[in-house]
Amino acid sequence: MAHDGASDGGAPGSGTPEPGLEEPGLKANAIGFLDALVIGLNSTSPAYSLAAVLGPIVALAGIYAPGVMLASFVPMLLIAAAFYYLNKVDQDCGTTFSWVTRAMGPWAGWLGGWAITMTGVLVIGSLADVAVNFGLLAAGLDGWAANTVVRQTLTVVVILAMTAVCVIGTELSAHLQDILILAQVFFLLAFAVVAIYRIYAGTSTLDAIEPSLDWLNPFGAGGAALTGGLLLGVFIYWGWESAVNLTEEVENSATAPGKAGIWSTVVLLVTYLSVGFAVVGYAGTAFLAAHAGEEEAIFAVLAHEVMGGWDWMVLLAVCTSALASTQTTIIPASRTALSMARRHALPPALAHIHPRFRTPHVSTWWVAAIAIGWYLVVNQISENALLDSLTALSLLIAFYYALTGLACAVYYRRHLLESAHNFLLIGAGPVVGAGLLAWLLVESVHDMSNPENSAGGVSWFGLGPPLVIGIAIAAAGVAVMCFWRVRDGRFWRERRGVVDPDVVHGRKT
């Protein structure tokens, strides 16, 4: 494995350890490939993502919603390939932060790490809130779900509980994820099978449409619908890279985490297309478009139409989906903060490893604390502010995914012309994926600049609230980076890494 000369010793990608801070590293070989795959899947929260996004995609693309979800898969697969090849030469839990630093320098690397960490802060509270809400609805406690104080209190409890699981150990986290993904997939498949059966049996209670392979045409609804749908598609596939953030704790760390990330995107594609066909076919486009702005429309309203008295199963699927993602979303943020701290890009306290559990307990609790604070404060601003903060996620996601794709080509630049394999899979593919995401980033900024496109049509400083939130996070990142550059400049004095040709050609791992 190649490391730059300034980074030898200590954990992967780390600088010289602080005096007195020599600690055990993360627990190696704690989990296997399948565990990493499950964590990558759960991080995307498939049931919740479908509940939140399928309605709006149908409103844009109509019956061609499955085609838009298929098109959204393309840039994700290309970026997943970049994660795979970069992880082969640098198994660092900071992923994008470490790789971009080695390929493009410390300033770009630091901003990539900041983006990953802030995505966790923005979304953890919302995921826990959804888990609590749908869990209460599944239990028939609708009154509790409608009570703001009760729901927010339980949300904080859930975040603390999931954080404790992350701290206690990666194995415990993986075992819990195995249970949650099995429950989620079972409930989703049961929903899809019943819906498709009722379509062909003619017993749909709504305006059913018989599914057709033509629905897979992403251009069927026109270019504008495809653009809007791709923006939403970034959200439903985001999160699979949590498997790679665990690279230092996975068996066969040079290849297994990257493969888990790639296979996560493929499994997600199959799941999304299956449920997409079932939902669009059963309900028809008019019903889904009418409920496009309601998160619960797909699996809270439609669940009762399809499953009758068994609708609690689908509500529980969304609950377990959000619960699982609450836990797994903590992983990239905490591991990235750990990686940044041990290379002196953040305060050294964040690099502490728990002596017993061998997990980054300080950075994990800090991520949870900031996420709880963000959730509680944003909820006090307005009822749409939390949704706006989630919308701002697409900016951060597109930014660090695109940065990773570009870093892959830059990192391997001296080897891209050695074979067609290198050129296509390590160079052209990641660059195309980065280009698509950069285009989506520009489209997102343009769309969010218009306040009329935000939830409730609210204007902040003449712009849409999601764009203001995104700009504020970027500005805060630059400010913190400049402050730490003045406070401790060691990270900025590191030399960039070099590529080991033997790794490129698969002669060693």
Side-chain angles (χ1 to χ4, degrees):
M1 182 173 67
H3 290 287
D4 69 48
S7 301
D8 294 331
S14 64
T16 303
E18 290 279 348
L21 287 183
E22 289 81 0
E23 303 181 27
L26 295 171
K27 189 174 183 179
N29 301 320
I31 59 175
F33 168 79
L34 289 178
D35 294 318
L37 174 63
V38 166
I39 288 174
L41 290 173
N42 270 330
S43 293
T44 64
S45 191
Y48 166 65
S49 296
L50 283 169
V53 170
L54 187 53
I57 289 180
V58 172
L60 287 168
I63 59 174
Y64 298 103
V68 170
M69 289 190 286
L70 175 62
S72 302
F73 164 75
V74 175
M76 290 298 102
L77 180 63
L78 296 176
I79 297 302
F83 270 75
Y84 172 77
Y85 285 107
L86 286 169
N87 183 71
K88 286 190 73 173
V89 290
D90 185 8
Q91 293 96 59
D92 190 299
C93 66
T95 60
T96 294
F97 159 72
S98 179
W99 304 331
V100 173
T101 296
R102 294 181 183 280
M104 301 167 67
W107 296 96
W110 199 100
L111 290 175
W114 175 262
I116 294 176
T117 303
M118 291 309 297
T119 55
V121 168
L122 288 178
V123 80
I124 288 170
S126 176
L127 289 168
D129 184 278
V130 169
V132 168
N133 190 40
F134 275 81
L136 293 173
L137 291 175
L141 300 173
D142 296 26
W144 286 24
N147 187 307
T148 302
V149 175
V150 171
R151 192 178 71 251
Q152 291 186 6
T153 300
L154 290 175
T155 295
V156 171
V157 171
V158 166
I159 294 175
L160 293 174
M162 292 297 99
T163 304
V165 171
C166 288
V167 168
I168 290 173
T170 306
E171 297 103 319
L172 178 60
S173 298
H175 294 330
L176 178 59
Q177 292 299 317
D178 291 341
I179 296 171
L180 293 176
I181 195 65
L182 286 174
Q184 184 180 164
V185 169
F186 173 78
F187 293 142
L188 281 177
L189 289 178
F191 171 80
V193 168
V194 172
I196 292 175
Y197 170 78
R198 294 188 64 180
I199 292 171
Y200 286 101
T203 60
S204 172
T205 56
L206 300 171
D207 297 325
I209 309 172
E210 189 169 311
S212 168
L213 289 178
D214 291 339
W215 294 4
L216 291 175
N217 178 10
F219 302 99
L226 176 60
T227 299
L230 286 173
L231 294 174
L232 295 169
V234 170
F235 175 76
I236 64 174
Y237 284 100
W238 167 67
W240 49 265
E241 75 273 14
S242 291
V244 191
N245 284 104
L246 291 170
T247 183
E248 296 175 34
E249 299 154 88
V250 179
E251 297 172 357
N252 302 316
S253 62
T255 56
K259 289 180 180 178
I262 292 174
W263 277 106
S264 293
T265 63
V266 174
V267 174
L268 286 170
L269 173 67
V270 174
T271 303
Y272 289 157
L273 291 183
S274 299
V275 177
F277 269 99
V279 168
V280 174
Y282 186 93
T285 57
F287 174 88
L288 297 174
H291 294 83
E294 304 172 23
E295 277 188 0
E296 300 177 11
I298 305 303
F299 292 145
V301 179
L302 191 56
H304 182 71
E305 296 286 342
V306 175
M307 306 292 285
W310 293 87
D311 59 346
W312 60 268
M313 293 176 61
V314 184
L315 296 175
L316 199 57
V318 179
C319 173
T320 57
S321 174
L323 188 65
S325 193
T326 301
Q327 180 202 334
T328 53
T329 303
I330 296 171
I331 292 172
S334 62
R335 265 57 176 184
T336 299
L338 162 68
S339 179
M340 294 178 75
R342 68 189 182 189
R343 287 177 69 166
H344 315 297
L346 283 177
L350 295 175
H352 282 306
I353 303 293
H354 195 286
R356 176 184 174 188
F357 301 127
R358 305 275 295 276
T359 57
H361 61 119
V362 176
S363 64
T364 301
W365 283 114
W366 265 107
V367 167
I370 298 173
I372 289 172
W374 178 269
Y375 167 75
L376 294 177
V377 170
V378 168
N379 267 303
Q380 301 305 311
I381 297 175
S382 73
E383 61 181 23
N384 290 323
L386 189 62
L387 178 59
D388 288 329
S389 70
L390 290 181
T391 305
L393 270 179
S394 63
L395 300 175
L396 300 177
I397 297 167
F399 171 72
Y400 80 79
Y401 274 173
L403 202 59
T404 307
L406 184 60
C408 184
V410 173
Y411 200 89
Y412 282 102
R413 61 191 179 278
R414 295 186 180 92
H415 306 281
L416 296 181
L417 299 181
E418 293 178 354
S419 68
H421 169 276
N422 286 7
F423 179 77
L424 294 175
L425 298 183
I426 304 178
V431 169
V432 170
L436 288 172
L437 288 165
W439 168 64
L440 290 175
L441 176 61
V442 172
E443 289 291 329
S444 293
V445 170
H446 179 267
D447 181 65
M448 294 177 191
S449 65
N450 186 350
E452 295 181 0
N453 294 328
S454 64
V458 178
S459 173
W460 290 1
F461 308 106
L463 301 171
L467 182 57
V468 175
I469 293 172
I471 293 173
I473 290 173
V478 172
V480 172
M481 178 175 62
C482 291
F483 168 79
W484 198 253
R485 171 67 178 84
V486 174
R487 177 74 179 272
D488 185 346
R490 284 176 291 178
F491 168 66
W492 283 266
R493 292 193 292 270
E494 285 190 11
R495 294 193 299 109
R496 297 186 192 182
V498 294
V499 179
D500 184 341
D502 288 332
V503 175
V504 177
H505 295 291
R507 290 191 287 267
K508 71 178 182 179
T509 57

